[in-house]
Amino acid sequence: MLEIKNLHVNINGSKILNGVNLKVNAGEVHALMGPNGSGKSTLALVLAGREDYKVTEGEVLYNGKNLLDLSPEDRAREGIFLAFQYPVEIPGVSNVNLLKTAVNEIRKYNGEEELDAIDFLDLIKEKMKLVELDQSFLKRSVNEGFSGGEKKRNEIFQMAVLNPRLAILDETDSGLDIDAIKVVANGVNKLRSKDNATIVVTHYQRLLNYIIPDFVHVLYNGRIVKSGGKELAMELEEKGYDWIKNGSEEVVSG
Amino acid sequence: MKDVINFKEWFLQKHNTFEDSLNGENTYLMHQIRKEALENFNELPLPTLKDEDWRYTNISPLLKYNFNIVTKDAKISNDTIQNYRFNNLKSHLIVFVNGQFSAENSKLLNLPNGVVIGSLSDAIKNNPEIVEKYFNKNTTNNHQIFAALSTAYTKDGAFIYVPEGKIVEDPIHIIFITSSKDEKIITQPRNLFIAGKNSQLTIIEHYISDKENIYFTNAVTEIIVNENAVVDHVKLQEESKNAFHIARMEVGQERNSNFTSHSISLGGALTRNNINALFNDEGSECTLNGLFLIEGEQLFDVHTLIDHAKPLCNSHEHYIGILDNKARGVFNGKVLVRPDAQKTNAFQKNKNIILSDQALINTKPELEIFADDVKCSHGATIGQMDEEAKFYLRSRGIADKTATAILIRAFSSDVIKSIKIKQIRNYLDELLSKRFSQ
């Protein structure tokens, strides 16, 4: 589904990603871990189409298409969804308005008819239950005045409504208490299927107790320095990232 | 190319021809008022950038033309007018074509006894005592050259009189359409709205044109809000992008009255609005809200004055500017709280968004407070499009232009949502999405 080949990315002239390689197939859950500043969020945002992040080398194929040629909106329409680490507050735009516009623009792009008000509301109500959000939430402005937990739940709610093929969760667990993590994880697990894939970006192993990954990768200094199964996450939790940092120097020097 | 005659000289010369074209409107009283105004016009200097009130608005582009005075009727099809009506809104309709009342385009619904909705030229003939009592009573008019020009050329405009205790339930939609072929014309709508004691009405002044022509609209609107009356006023400027538009609105409020204004503008080549609201007595409420969306090389200037001459009045003002390309905007909001005006509440806000590197806004709140027991505040902001928010929307599958339209709509929402009539809000939503999906 997704193939990242030797990806190099600059932000304002400084090198953040240094040749990332990653392959994600349908039905898989990949965890991307790594210390702060290793480039995890940059990778997530580049996949979503942040235009001020410059790709200097490498390519990204998504279902055979060159992903980097697509605008952010077309990537979303092709089934990519990014749950933001810091969801943006948009005063004056209601959650329901954002979702209705998004759902219908995506449907239009895929040659489907727009949903009428009733069908749309049915869809929304069904998905709201998944993340335990209250009806009143729909009329509120996007993320405005939301608590950290509400913002993250809102991301998962949007994901549930838009039903992406490739979901990228960027530190969706950061700052959440265990109850909120369970709600988020439960939302993600219910959406797992053999046709879609998930990349879970996280700093901590904790979320992976609830979302069980098929693969775990460690990003350090803009490169994936180690890959393995779910047990790698446990190892990281135990030993911390220093072990990787030292190891990667070995890789570099070796 | 013919030489352009000096702006003032031109209107002084044309005045005789203008008065000759008048019929029943030329009563002795009106003749005197016009003559006096023409003298004022002659004596007043044209504003320049050296005048504090015109510091950012250079009128020299306006002075490059000799605008013809329209004396004959023009015709507009009802289909053209229909495009500018609000969907599903029951309203009285009065139409002015090139400044002159058009009975064939206008249509009134049933009205309570004694309510007059029509043209000023008819009112001069049929209701001279009302016209005499209220017309041009605001003395500031005499000191403003464009208002003096309007008064000197008073012929027609909208006239509304609602007697004591009457409620006009349906909004009164007044359309001013300018239609000229190659000729550059001036139209000078002169509007007089009188809300009697305990009366209520809603007025929509709507300025449009059928082509992107060069012309000059010089409008003066006088509104008298008597004791405990409620007047809701909306002005919508959707004119030619080449038009000049200078407008003055004078509002006088009596005890316990309530006046609300929403001024929505897509601008012209040069637009200058002066809105003055005066509290003549205690216990009144005044809201002046506005939204302007300009682009290209448009210049839009709004000067407001809220004069708290009496105690215990509340005023609220909120103007929003959206500027693209090389457009320039001016907001000057003056709030005057006189020594008498204790227990005044006056709140003002001006918010602007600049969508390009070259657009410019000059914003100037001006609070002059001479009473000591008052609550007043003001704030002005200038910002840019929130690119983070835009990326967030696009990452949800929403097209770039749609995302811009959504964010602009959100930015404007404080002013739009305070418009009471839903159908007008819908109309503006469409206008915004059309403007940003080009």
Side-chain angles (χ1 to χ4, degrees), chain B residues 49 99 139 270 291 387:
Chain B
L49 297 178
T139 49
L270 188 160
L291 171 67
E387 292 298 332

Side-chain angles (χ1 to χ4, degrees), chain B residues 156-349:
Chain B
D156 211 350
F159 176 83
I160 299 170
Y161 175 71
V162 183
E164 185 173 336
K166 302 291 182 190
I167 311 281
V168 181
E169 290 193 4
D170 298 310
I172 303 158
H173 189 180
I174 310 164
I175 291 182
F176 300 94
I177 180 165
T178 302
S179 171
S180 62
K181 288 194 181 75
D182 302 322
E183 199 185 14
K184 293 177 182 60
I185 61 171
I186 177 171
T187 74
Q188 305 206 61
R190 181 72 188 216
N191 307 311
L192 182 59
F193 306 141
I194 302 135
K197 190 175 166 184
N198 293 325
S199 70
Q200 187 173 333
L201 76 158
T202 301
I203 304 160
I204 305 153
E205 270 185 55
H206 197 168
Y207 292 85
I208 61 173
S209 64
D210 65 346
K211 286 176 210 79
E212 292 291 297
N213 279 344
I214 297 170
Y215 60 85
F216 178 21
T217 302
N218 183 37
V220 172
T221 298
E222 295 173 282
I223 305 179
I224 294 96
V225 191
N226 281 306
E227 187 178 338
N228 209 35
V230 178
V231 175
D232 189 4
H233 182 270
V234 176
K235 176 177 171 178
L236 202 52
Q237 187 195 1
E238 276 188 273
E239 286 185 284
S240 156
K241 295 282 182 279
N242 299 310
F244 297 92
H245 183 106
I246 292 182
R248 169 170 290 271
M249 180 160 85
E250 294 284 353
V251 184
Q253 290 192 242
E254 300 306 321
R255 180 178 285 257
N256 296 332
S257 63
N258 190 323
F259 175 76
T260 307
S261 150
H262 283 88
S263 172
I264 314 292
S265 177
L266 301 182
L270 188 160
T271 303
R272 164 68 176 244
N273 279 322
N274 273 83
I275 300 174
N276 295 349
L278 167 64
F279 291 116
N280 284 315
D281 210 333
E282 302 179 4
S284 292
E285 188 101 17
C286 174
T287 304
L288 301 184
N289 288 348
L291 171 67
F292 56 94
L293 270 118
I294 50 174
E295 58 184 325
E297 296 191 19
Q298 290 183 299
L299 169 64
F300 180 91
D301 173 341
V302 57
H303 271 62
T304 65
L305 165 65
I306 301 175
D307 187 344
H308 283 265
K310 298 287 170 179
L312 294 159
C313 293
N314 299 325
S315 67
H316 312 268
E317 182 169 17
H318 194 166
Y319 265 78
I320 292 179
I322 298 163
L323 301 96
D324 203 353
N325 312 125
K326 294 181 180 174
R328 283 181 304 134
V330 181
F331 171 80
N332 191 112
K334 183 165 173 175
V335 176
L336 178 57
V337 182
R338 294 187 190 261
D340 242 11
Q342 300 295 2
K343 308 282 179 196
T344 286
N345 286 316
F347 306 111
Q348 182 191 86
K349 236 195 310 188

Side-chain angles (χ1 to χ4, degrees), chain A residues 73 77 82 102 105 155 158, chain B residues 392 394-397 399-400 402:
Chain A
E73 53 268 37
R77 293 159 178 176
L82 171 66
E105 290 217 9
E155 296 293 290
Q158 290 179 12
Chain B
Y392 188 79
R394 292 178 72 193
S395 79
R396 287 349 182 200
D400 192 340
T402 316

